[in-house]
Amino acid sequence: MIDTPLPRPYNPSMTRRLRSVITVVLGCALIVMSCTYTSKSKSDGNDAPGSVEDQLASGEPIYMQTCATRACHGTQGEGIKSGNGFSAWPLVGKDFQSRHPNAQIVFDVVRSGGERNLLALTDQQVYDAIAYELKQNEITLAAPLTAENAFTTYGGVMSGNGQAGLFPPSDNVVLIDTLPARDLPIVAQNDTLQLQMDQIAEASAIGSSKGTFLILVIKFSDLDDQPITLRPAYLSLTTPGGERLSPQSINIHSAIEKFREQTIKPRHGTVGLIVFALTAPEQFHQLIYDDGAGKPVRMALKP
């Protein structure tokens, strides 16, 4: 989600707020699970509901008690106004639909929140709440929303028009259409950490910075029973010639927070946006996360 209009025709792919005018972190703008939730839903575990109707019945109380409240996004999901914009963006209507990439990225950002009530929800309960929110936006599901279909479940006519690009779009990024289409997400992992690439795009400019840039949206998940401290310094991008590139601190206006140092808890994770400067379009090979423990995670980025 982003709080500016599309800068030009675009042809591609809850709980934390950005400090800039682009205060549209997906966890805040899409679906926040940071208030209170005490009622049990029909999806007490991680089993998918038997029908869409069952899922909506499960998701409604979660949505109503954690999202559509005076303290979160307004009692009707209309958002909380602040000046000329919103301190908490609407969960319904054109503002939501134009900023909603796909249901899996919503889930991933929701899961990145560290609040106790959020961590208490099962994965399926989060999917149930997102399904109910989609219903509020007159989006009809053909089957219950799960991990298997969330990545291809979009939120409106403007969302997720393709998988080989950046969405929601940014007002200070000039995208270039060089990347071949690919099946997303791409997953790589070791015994403790999983990386999942949700979006990939190339740009010829980010703000005043000119050149060629690779933009990635990555979900990081803790797979074992110990917290993991994530650091940008552990990330690198290899070129076809074997050179290693480091993430860049470029001010990109994005709905997704830039990847930063943080600690994630077991069975949870975070979503981050990462920018690399390339020497030329397509001059990249694989993403590597190496914390020095002897088991680097390598993700091939080419089809």
Side-chain angles (χ1 to χ4, degrees):
M1 293 185 182
I2 193 152
D3 58 356
T4 55
L6 292 176
R8 61 184 179 87
Y10 176 65
N11 178 26
S13 108
M14 170 160 175
T15 54
R16 189 185 296 116
R17 296 178 175 83
L18 298 179
R19 296 180 181 178
S20 68
V21 175
I22 313 299
T23 53
V24 197
V25 178
L26 289 175
C28 165
L30 296 179
I31 181 170
V32 173
M33 301 291 187
S34 60
C35 301
T36 59
Y37 178 66
T38 56
S39 300
K40 287 190 175 182
S41 74
K42 293 185 179 180
S43 295
D44 287 332
N46 278 319
D47 293 335
S51 68
V52 172
E53 290 73 20
D54 286 345
Q55 180 167 60
L56 296 176
S58 297
E60 180 178 6
I62 303 174
Y63 175 86
M64 296 303 297
Q65 295 181 36
T66 64
C67 308
T69 71
R70 182 176 302 173
C72 293
H73 292 272
T75 56
Q76 304 301 315
E78 72 278 13
I80 306 297
K81 285 281 189 178
S82 177
N84 294 326
F86 293 90
S87 60
W89 280 78
L91 299 178
V92 295
K94 62 181 180 64
D95 286 309
F96 168 79
Q97 294 187 26
S98 67
R99 293 170 171 83
H100 176 277
N102 62 57
Q104 184 58 43
I105 295 177
V106 177
F107 174 91
D108 291 344
V109 176
V110 170
R111 265 301 183 226
S112 72
E115 288 82 357
R116 181 178 301 174
N117 292 313
L118 169 61
L119 297 177
L121 294 172
T122 68
D123 286 355
Q124 191 56 56
Q125 285 175 323
V126 176
Y127 283 121
D128 293 350
I130 296 171
Y132 185 78
E133 182 182 10
L134 295 181
K135 177 179 181 293
Q136 301 307 107
N137 284 276
E138 300 182 355
I139 296 161
T140 302
L141 296 175
L145 186 66
T146 67
E148 284 66 41
N149 61 19
F151 198 85
T152 55
T153 300
Y154 302 121
V157 294
M158 294 180 64
S159 76
N161 292 326
Q163 292 184 322
L166 183 67
F167 197 92
S170 171
D171 69 328
N172 75 333
V173 172
V174 179
L175 294 174
I176 55 178
D177 189 15
T178 62
L179 294 176
R182 64 201 64 201
D183 292 329
L184 297 177
I186 299 172
V187 177
Q189 66 183 58
N190 59 20
D191 295 340
T192 60
L193 180 67
Q194 181 185 83
L195 273 59
Q196 174 179 298
M197 185 176 73
D198 287 340
Q199 296 188 30
I200 179 171
E202 283 192 324
S204 60
I206 302 177
S208 61
S209 300
K210 310 298 182 183
T212 304
F213 304 95
L214 186 70
I215 304 170
L216 305 174
V217 175
I218 302 287
K219 175 190 175 185
F220 299 81
S221 299
D222 187 343
L223 301 180
D224 68 3
D225 58 356
Q226 297 296 321
I228 296 176
T229 298
L230 305 172
R231 293 186 172 92
Y234 295 157
L235 269 175
S236 62
L237 182 75
T238 64
T239 68
E243 181 183 4
R244 286 203 176 193
L245 308 176
S246 298
Q248 299 294 299
S249 298
I250 297 177
N251 182 27
I252 179 172
H253 295 170
S254 174
I256 301 170
E257 189 171 356
K258 288 191 67 176
F259 179 56
R260 60 180 176 80
E261 181 172 330
Q262 60 192 285
T263 299
I264 58 175
K265 298 181 179 182
R267 297 177 300 283
H268 294 284
T270 189
V271 176
L273 183 146
I274 305 155
V275 178
F276 293 94
L278 305 178
T279 57
E282 291 280 356
Q283 289 299 301
F284 59 88
H285 179 232
Q286 66 176 344
L287 184 72
I288 301 174
Y289 187 89
D290 188 355
D291 62 1
K295 293 183 178 181
V297 181
R298 301 176 183 272
M299 175 185 289
L301 299 184
K302 294 296 183 69

